[in-house]
Amino acid sequence: MAKRKGITVSRQIMDSQLLHPGATGELTGLLNELIVAAKIISAEVNMAGLADILGQSGKVNIQGEDVQKLDEFANQTIKRRMEQCGYICVMASEEEEGIIPVLEGYEGKYSLAFDPLDGSSNIDVNVSIGTIFSIHRRVSSGKQGSAEDLLQKGSRQVAAGYIIYGSSTVLVYTTGDGVHGFTLDPSVGEFFLSHPDIRIPEQAKYYSVNESYTNYWYEPTRKFINYLKEVDPDSGRPYSLRYIGSLVADFHRNLIKGGIFLYARDRKSTDKPEGKLRLLYEAAPLAMVVEQAGGRAITDDGRRILDIEPRELHQRVPLIIGSKKEVDLAEQFFTASAK
Ligand code: AMP
Ligand code: P6P
């Protein structure tokens, strides 16, 4: 269905529902509730510099990271709203170790995994941060949902997306029918369609990686990055490095401008042998978005992110994601070594 700039996200979601005659409106309701939470978080993030909400909350989350007040606020905002929306049976959050139940009597037919405020270490320096979400259909029976409803491979996601809180607040999501971007007009509190049918450029000379880990990388990663940096004007090399250190900001730039983002395995920390990023609420939702926009998302041994069967909620995974041509090229380096 043609997407017309300027329509509201609620109108876009309703148009999509109408393409599914048997739909009851539950997915629509879920998405709209999530969008209300995003508006509340956006208002808080944009006030953070003024309100006394910057800095540490004095708590440490299960990742062993200092919980910033805004992290906590975002987590609570999504939890409180979604536990009583009636559309989900269970949740998982980057900020909490175990599964999060919904209120008794409010169990619905979807599950929700989310990173409430990714990149929060950048809050105090006004760098863009974001919320990432992933929605699956419940597979468990019985009243309350279970981890089984969350531990599903990414290719089974019903919807996925993110909200980036930057110079403007932009919602980017997919339900499997392309990728659409909506910009929040805070003066009216509405998201308006600003990026219809997003397609990631098939090729772009940008790479996004934390180069300070060069000496921790395994050989294939080092060889690939060195290749991108070689001087060869005929092939458009060297590539330009763009790295913000905030996944949603780095990914969003990649999606719009093209390029490749890498967070591969490294020898840096024994407790993160699979790299730093999480499968359930970071890699898998972004992988659905990028594939729907014509890009690719793989691990550093060539596995498709969306094919990985999750074992645990906070499972980490190496992530190579972006423009098709660049990920194809990376795959040659990473799988050549595996042979
Ligand atoms: P529902 O009964 O409303 O949960 O919808 C049933 C199925 O129809 C969903 O799992 C989706 O596959 C599809 N669907 C319903 N509403 C939407 C929507 N707003 N956007 C995209 N797909 C939808
Ligand atoms: P590094 C932020 O803490 C985060 O989880 C992602 O947003 C970001 O991509 C990554 O960590 C940055 O990690 O090791 O480069 O500082």
Side-chain angles (χ1 to χ4, degrees), residues 53-60 66-72:
I53 198 161
L54 279 181
Q56 310 297 322
S57 65
K59 292 184 184 175
V60 176
D66 290 336
V67 178
Q68 301 262 355
K69 285 181 180 176
L70 268 178
D71 261 358
E72 198 172 323

Side-chain angles (χ1 to χ4, degrees), residues 274-287:
E274 294 299 301
K276 179 178 185 182
L277 302 180
R278 309 292 181 170
L279 175 58
L280 233 51
Y281 41 78
E282 290 176 342
L286 297 184

Side-chain angles (χ1 to χ4, degrees), residues 125-160:
V125 294
N126 212 22
V127 163
S128 300
I129 50 185
T131 299
I132 311 170
F133 64 89
S134 168
I135 297 168
H136 279 286
R137 288 183 188 82
R138 90 171 287 176
V139 290
S140 69
S141 50
K143 215 154 167 37
Q144 277 289 343
S146 66
E148 184 191 6
D149 300 303
L150 294 153
L151 297 173
Q152 300 184 59
K153 61 184 179 178
S155 57
R156 294 170 55 86
Q157 290 174 103
V158 177

Side-chain angles (χ1 to χ4, degrees), residues 17 20 22 26 63 84 104 143 169 198 201 211 228 256 280 305 337:
Q17 178 185 324
H20 302 269
E26 288 177 68
Q63 327 289 348
Q84 55 185 323
E104 182 102 13
K143 215 154 167 37
T169 294
I198 297 175
E211 289 242 6
L228 298 183
I256 303 300
L280 233 51
I305 291 288
S337 67

Side-chain angles (χ1 to χ4, degrees), residues 281-300:
Y281 41 78
E282 290 176 342
L286 297 184
M288 181 179 185
V289 170
V290 85
E291 287 201 4
Q292 281 289 315
R296 292 190 66 199
I298 61 173
T299 60
D300 57 9

Side-chain angles (χ1 to χ4, degrees), residues 65 94 115 118-122 210 213 243 245-248 250 261 263 268 276-277 282:
E65 298 162 342
E94 194 258 4
D115 187 348
D118 181 83
S120 54
S121 52
N122 295 292
N210 187 332
Y213 302 153
Y243 193 74
S246 180
L247 176 61
V248 176
D250 278 317
F261 172 92
Y263 208 113
K268 180 166 175 285
K276 179 178 185 182
L277 302 180
E282 290 176 342

